[in-house]
Amino acid sequence: MMTAGREGEGAPFPEWSRPAGGAWRPRPSRPPAPAACKVVAAGAARPPPAPGAPARHACPGPPAPGCLLNFVSEGILLLSQQIMDIVGFLKSQFICHLLICYIFIVSGLIINFIQLFTLILWPINKQLFRKINCRLAYCISSQMVMLLEWWSGTDCTLYTDPESYHKYGKENAIVILNHNFEIDFLCGWNFCERFGVLGSSKVLAKKELSYMPIIGWMWYFLEIVFCKRKWEEDRKTVVQKLLNLRDYPENFWFLIHCEGTRFTEQKHQISMKVAEAKGLPKLKYHLLPRTKGFAVTVQCLRNVVSAVYDSTLNFRNNENPTLLGVLNGKKYHADLYVRRIPLEDVPEDEQECSTWLHKLYQEKDAFQEEYYRTGTYPAVPTVPPRRPWTLLNWLFWALLLLYPLFQLLINMINSGSSLTLASFAFVIIIASVGVRWMIGVTEINKGSTYGNNDSKQKQK
């Protein structure tokens, strides 16, 4: 048997081959197998290519599976980042804001019109009227919550007792909210939505809001309690409206801002002067609570409402959230601390109830102090699951209303009429002013002068 000699120390034996009809000859040596590519974590810096190496791939020969997987993952990350940048750019565009407000306004007016026709049910079947209007109201208010949850992607972390968590949404409750931020009402609605009571939620609102189309009219059909902020005139009306809720067929939360107006430094100084004059402890992060409305609410809803939810809202990293920021798609990070207090623990006597509420706000002030110091609340944090209904409701109205709008625009452009185009431009301007006005209603610097007026009256 023929064997081949070694060409050098440690060299492998060459392989021999014999073509058909030819002589035996050595087979050409094979090139060494390419070394496996080193897998680099996504985002990690790659070493510079060796001189003369191909720029697009540093591995000799075809890429190994690990290297190819790394390239694919980096490509997906880059593509997703580019998509997010495009989406973020679109969210900040005014044309998108106009379309969102168009859907909200037109759908809201349609729902208000439907609500008007439900009035014929009131003398026939009051409970059916209420159930239908809860669903119709959800179609409006859920669009606002959709902006917070899905459009801006704001995170809402709930701090609460695990035993209380399982009772949320399954009982009637009075929810006390602090009033420090422009979108605190929206976070309150988000809290209601996560536990399925958004459509039936109630508020104590100022009388002027009842004349506002869409939201104000929706609240009218929801039997919302409106007040003029003159207690001598309001007491009888408020009591009657609250007593009407005793036989409400749906679980509801009654949201109330006991401070009466949003916190500002000017209002805080006025409020603390009142506290000093009345011999009440001063608050650092809240205004002095208005106790009469809360006391009457407790009296009228006792044995119907199971608990008071003391809710304290804050935002991380000193964020100052605005409705305009939400509309621009800006993401915020909210922390909501909720304590469930059985209604049996709230005194029935009006004076004792007033004292109890002042003590509650002193505790709320301490919780705020701790949050600013530690960045957390003294409870277990949890994120209630986000429900899809707010998004699905908005998509339904978007599909229903955008198609005829685009058809109208195409017909107007094809007509070529200068008058038609000028009319459309005028409508856009009016819509822009309307959108800005609706946003301005929530701005703190344009908020209520309730506390200021009280102070001026006391000084006269």
Side-chain angles (χ1 to χ4, degrees):
M1 181 174 64
M2 184 181 296
T3 59
R6 299 180 184 273
E7 296 180 0
E9 185 65 21
F13 289 97
E15 298 180 1
W16 293 74
S17 63
R18 179 184 181 186
W24 289 90
R25 63 185 66 177
R27 180 179 294 169
S29 60
R30 298 176 180 175
C37 297
K38 183 178 180 181
V39 178
V40 182
R46 293 180 175 275
R56 66 183 183 88
H57 196 274
C59 303
C67 188
L68 183 61
L69 180 62
N70 184 57
F71 288 160
V72 171
S73 64
E74 284 190 344
I76 293 174
L77 287 174
L78 180 61
L79 179 61
S80 63
Q81 183 60 47
Q82 291 176 342
I83 293 174
M84 292 299 294
D85 291 341
I86 294 173
V87 171
F89 172 77
L90 291 176
K91 287 181 178 180
S92 65
Q93 299 307 298
F94 186 67
I95 185 65
C96 290
H97 302 168
L98 277 181
L99 291 177
I100 290 173
C101 292
Y102 160 77
I103 295 169
F104 178 74
I105 292 173
V106 176
S107 65
L109 292 175
I110 292 174
I111 293 168
N112 286 160
F113 187 72
I114 297 173
Q115 287 180 307
L116 183 63
F117 280 93
T118 63
L119 285 174
I120 61 177
L121 292 174
W122 180 266
I124 302 171
N125 191 332
K126 183 172 69 172
Q127 303 297 33
L128 179 61
F129 166 88
R130 287 169 159 175
K131 290 181 179 180
I132 291 175
N133 275 282
C134 284
R135 274 67 181 176
L136 292 174
Y138 181 84
C139 292
I140 296 177
S141 55
S142 66
Q143 293 188 46
M144 301 288 291
V145 176
M146 186 281 301
L147 287 178
L148 186 73
E149 288 188 333
W150 298 91
W151 183 259
S152 78
T154 294
D155 292 329
C156 294
T157 302
L158 176 65
Y159 290 77
T160 191
D161 176 27
E163 294 183 2
S164 300
Y165 181 89
H166 299 291
K167 297 181 181 179
Y168 297 154
K170 300 175 182 178
E171 62 182 3
N172 297 332
I174 299 172
V175 182
I176 299 177
L177 296 163
N178 58 324
H179 213 1
N180 297 64
F181 305 97
E182 289 184 12
I183 65 168
D184 47 20
F185 78 97
L186 203 50
C187 292
W189 279 4
N190 178 73
F191 181 35
C192 294
E193 162 59 20
R194 295 294 173 99
F195 294 96
V197 293
L198 176 61
S200 59
S201 62
K202 314 296 179 187
V203 296
L204 182 63
K206 55 186 177 181
K207 182 67 175 178
E208 294 82 358
L209 292 177
S210 65
Y211 305 113
M212 182 183 293
I214 305 175
I215 296 292
W217 296 351
M218 172 195 77
W219 279 349
Y220 173 81
F221 290 100
L222 273 182
E223 303 171 69
I224 293 300
V225 181
F226 293 104
C227 59
K228 299 178 182 178
R229 291 180 167 177
K230 296 178 180 178
W231 188 243
E232 294 75 15
E233 301 178 18
D234 286 334
R235 185 181 183 96
K236 184 178 180 181
T237 303
V238 170
V239 168
Q240 184 59 51
K241 290 287 187 180
L242 288 170
L243 291 176
N244 288 341
L245 298 178
R246 293 188 64 86
D247 63 342
Y248 209 77
E250 304 275 336
N251 286 335
F252 68 88
W253 289 358
F254 193 93
L255 280 61
I256 182 171
H257 295 283
C258 293
E259 295 163 86
T261 185
R262 284 197 181 92
F263 182 98
T264 65
E265 287 300 328
Q266 181 183 6
K267 293 175 183 177
H268 181 251
Q269 293 175 6
I270 296 171
S271 181
M272 292 306 99
K273 289 180 181 178
V274 175
E276 184 176 1
K278 292 184 176 181
L280 296 171
K282 292 186 177 182
L283 303 172
K284 188 175 181 180
Y285 303 104
H286 299 85
L287 304 179
L288 203 65
R290 306 277 174 158
T291 61
K292 293 180 180 179
F294 174 76
V296 168
T297 301
V298 170
Q299 289 173 359
C300 293
L301 297 182
R302 192 173 290 276
N303 300 324
V304 174
V305 166
S306 302
V308 170
Y309 297 167
D310 173 37
S311 307
T312 306
L313 176 69
N314 231 313
F315 287 84
R316 300 175 194 173
N317 306 319
N318 294 319
E319 292 176 338
N320 185 26
T322 63
L323 186 58
L324 185 60
V326 171
L327 198 58
N328 281 320
K330 185 174 181 180
K331 183 175 182 178
Y332 299 108
H333 306 83
D335 290 327
L336 180 66
Y337 176 46
V338 179
R339 293 187 299 165
R340 182 185 182 277
I341 305 171
L343 200 65
E344 294 79 13
D345 296 348
V346 182
E348 294 188 27
D349 179 73
E350 185 171 334
Q351 185 58 46
E352 292 179 1
C353 184
S354 174
T355 303
W356 181 89
L357 186 62
H358 282 299
K359 182 180 179 182
L360 181 77
Y361 267 79
Q362 294 169 35
E363 295 172 356
K364 289 171 75 71
D365 228 43
F367 294 140
Q368 286 284 61
E369 181 73 33
E370 181 177 353
Y371 183 88
Y372 287 132
R373 182 172 52 85
T374 64
T376 186
Y377 286 117
V380 179
T382 183
V383 179
R386 184 171 57 177
R387 307 192 324 155
W389 309 119
T390 56
L391 180 62
L392 293 176
N393 173 73
W394 187 85
L395 290 175
F396 166 78
W397 288 106
L399 293 174
L400 183 67
L401 299 176
L402 287 180
Y403 176 76
L405 175 66
F406 291 147
Q407 282 291 108
L408 177 63
L409 292 179
I410 292 172
N411 293 337
M412 291 175 62
I413 294 173
N414 290 338
S415 69
S417 171
S418 301
L419 179 61
T420 302
L421 294 177
S423 300
F424 176 72
F426 178 74
V427 171
I428 291 295
I429 294 173
I430 294 299
S432 303
V433 174
V435 170
R436 191 64 190 87
W437 174 78
M438 292 177 65
I439 294 174
V441 171
T442 68
E443 293 179 352
I444 290 179
N445 59 358
K446 296 181 181 179
S448 168
T449 57
Y450 181 35
N452 300 6
N453 292 339
D454 281 2
S455 175
K456 291 178 182 177
Q457 290 175 3
K458 284 181 171 55
Q459 292 174 0
K460 289 181 180 180

